[in-house]
C-alpha cells in the first residue's frame, strides 16, 4: 500500500476511534436497547391510572395509547432500555390508591407522589423495587402499616411518609 493510502486509512481509523470514545455508552446501540418500551411497565402505569379516582387537572389524560408511556406526564424512562425509572406526580390533586402492580416497575429509582390525596395501604409489592433510592409519599392519606418488606429495597436512601 502506498504512503498516501496508508495516511487516508490511518486518518479514517483515528476519526472512527475518536467518535467511538466520545459516544456515551447509554446511546450506543446495544442488544438490551428496546425502542418500543416495556409492556410490563406500560400495564403497571395503566393500572395506576385505573386507580386514580380524581384528576381535576387531567394529568392522567396523557396516559393513553396515542403516546408512548415514556412521554406520559410524570414518567421518566431510561433512554436506552425504555424502562420507567422515575414516577413523579407531585401536587397534581390526584386521589386514588396504589396498585399492587407498582412492584412490576422493577427499574424504578424514584417515586414522588407528594401532596396529593392518595389513600389506602402502601402495597407490599413496593418491596420488590430493588433499585428504588427515593420514596416520597408524604402529604397524602395513606393508612395501615409500612410494608415490612420495604427493607428489601436495598438502595433506598430517602423515605418520606408524612401526613397532610
Amino acid at each position: 500500500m502506498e504512503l498516501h493510502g496508508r495516511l487516508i486509512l490511518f486518518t479514517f481509523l483515528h476519526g472512527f476511534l475518536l467518535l467511538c470514545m466520545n459516544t456515551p455508552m447509554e446511546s450506543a446501540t446495544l442488544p438490551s436497547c428496546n425502542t418500543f418500551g416495556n409492556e410490563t411497565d406500560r400495564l403497571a402505569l395503566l393500572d395506576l391510572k385505573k386507580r386514580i379516582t380524581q384528576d381535576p387537572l387531567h394529568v392522567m389524560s396523557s396516559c393513553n395509547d396515542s403516546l408512548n408511556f415514556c412521554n406520559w406526564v410524570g414518567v421518566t424512562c431510561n433512554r436506552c432500555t425504555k424502562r420507567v425509572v422515575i414516577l413523579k406526580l407531585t401536587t397534581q390533586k390526584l386521589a386514588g390508591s396504589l396498585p399492587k402492580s407498582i412492584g412490576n416497575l422493577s427499574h424504578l429509582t424514584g417515586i414522588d407522589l407528594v401532596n396529593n390525596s392518595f389513600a389506602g395501604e402502601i402495597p407490599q409489592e413496593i418491596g420488590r423495587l430493588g433499585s428504588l433510592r427515593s420514596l416520597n409519599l408524604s402529604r397524602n392519606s395513606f393508612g395501615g402499616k409500612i410494608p415490612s418488606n420495604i427493607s428489601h429495597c436495598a438502595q433506598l436512601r430517602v423515605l418520606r411518609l408524612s401526613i397532610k
Side-chain angles (χ1 to χ4, degrees):
M1 190 184 262
E2 68 180 89
L3 183 61
H4 179 69
R6 287 183 184 168
L7 186 58
I8 290 173
L9 181 60
F10 174 78
T11 304
F12 171 77
L13 289 174
H14 183 257
F16 179 75
L17 288 173
L18 285 175
L19 179 65
C20 289
M21 288 173 33
N22 288 324
T23 302
M25 287 303 291
E26 187 178 31
S27 66
T29 303
L30 300 172
S32 64
C33 287
N34 182 354
T35 59
F36 299 108
N38 182 287
E39 187 66 6
T40 303
D41 287 4
R42 187 180 78 81
L43 292 174
L45 292 170
L46 286 173
D47 199 16
L48 174 63
K49 179 183 177 180
K50 283 186 216 170
R51 297 289 193 113
I52 303 295
T53 57
Q54 292 178 16
D55 180 11
L57 302 178
H58 306 288
V59 174
M60 304 308 283
S61 64
S62 74
C63 303
N64 59 58
D65 288 330
S66 67
L67 280 177
N68 180 283
F69 65 83
C70 290
N71 296 317
W72 293 355
V73 171
V75 175
T76 302
C77 292
N78 177 288
R79 289 187 321 171
C80 179
T81 64
K82 302 298 184 205
R83 298 298 303 266
V84 178
V85 292
I86 297 174
L87 182 59
K88 184 175 182 175
L89 295 166
T90 58
T91 316
Q92 297 295 327
K93 299 184 179 181
L94 298 171
S97 61
L98 290 180
K100 292 179 180 183
S101 60
I102 194 104
N104 295 339
L105 296 171
S106 58
H107 287 75
L108 270 179
T109 60
I111 300 174
D112 190 347
L113 303 177
V114 67
N115 200 26
N116 284 290
S117 295
F118 285 96
E121 292 191 6
I122 301 167
Q124 284 285 331
E125 288 75 10
I126 214 138
R128 295 196 323 234
L129 302 176
S131 299
L132 194 63
R133 290 187 294 230
S134 176
L135 177 61
N136 190 348
L137 303 177
S138 60
R139 303 195 66 201
N140 280 283
S141 298
F142 289 105
K145 296 180 180 179
I146 297 171
S148 58
N149 66 351
I150 203 161
S151 62
H152 295 169
C153 300
Q155 302 298 314
L156 193 61
R157 300 293 177 260
V158 176
L159 175 61
R160 293 194 176 119
L161 306 169
S162 66
I163 57 173
K164 281 189 175 182

